[in-house]
Amino acid sequence: MIRPHRNHPGYWAFVLHRLSGVVLALFLPAHFLVLGLAVEEAALDSFLSWSDAPLAKLAESGLVVLLAVHLTGGLRLLALELLPWSDRQKGLIALATGLALAAGGLFLLSAG
C-alpha cells in the first residue's frame, strides 16, 4: 500500500531517478568488461555478433531509456534546487518521462 503523501508525480520522479541510477551502476561492470574485450579482436568480434540479437537490441533500448530517465531526473533535481517552485512541475515531470521513453523508442527503431 502506497502512503498518500508518497503518491504524487514528484515522488515517482524521485523513485525513477534513484532506480535508474542503481541499474546504471550495476551495468557499469559489464560495460567495462566489454571495453576490455576491445584489446582482443576475436573476443570483441564474438561479443559484437552476440549483440546483434533482438534481445540485446531490446536491452540496449532499455539502457537508453534508463540513461534518459536518469538525465531528466537529474535535470529536474537541478531545477528544484536552482529555480523557484511552480505548479507547472507536474507537467514538466510528465514531459521528461515522455522524452525519456521517446529516446528509447527512437533508439530501438534505429537499431532494427
Side-chain angles (χ1 to χ4, degrees):
M1 179 106 183
I2 298 172
R3 296 181 178 157
H5 68 281
R6 291 189 174 165
N7 197 15
H8 58 86
Y11 177 74
W12 292 111
F14 155 80
V15 168
L16 281 174
H17 185 251
R18 295 309 186 270
L19 288 176
S20 65
V22 168
V23 174
L24 290 171
L26 293 173
F27 165 75
L28 278 177
H31 178 68
F32 291 138
L33 176 68
V34 172
L35 285 177
L37 293 176
V39 175
E40 191 177 325
E41 187 176 340
L44 181 62
D45 288 341
S46 173
F47 175 78
L48 291 176
S49 67
W50 172 83
S51 69
D52 281 335
L55 187 59
K57 295 291 184 190
L58 184 63
E60 288 174 351
S61 298
L63 182 62
V64 170
V65 169
L66 286 172
L67 287 167
V69 164
H70 199 68
L71 172 70
T72 55
L75 291 174
R76 182 189 75 86
L77 288 176
L78 284 173
L80 284 173
E81 293 289 330
L82 303 174
L83 300 175
W85 182 262
S86 72
D87 290 333
R88 296 181 319 132
Q89 288 180 344
K90 186 190 299 186
L92 292 175
I93 291 169
L95 176 65
T97 303
L99 288 174
L101 292 174
L106 288 173
F107 182 82
L108 183 60
L109 289 175
S110 70

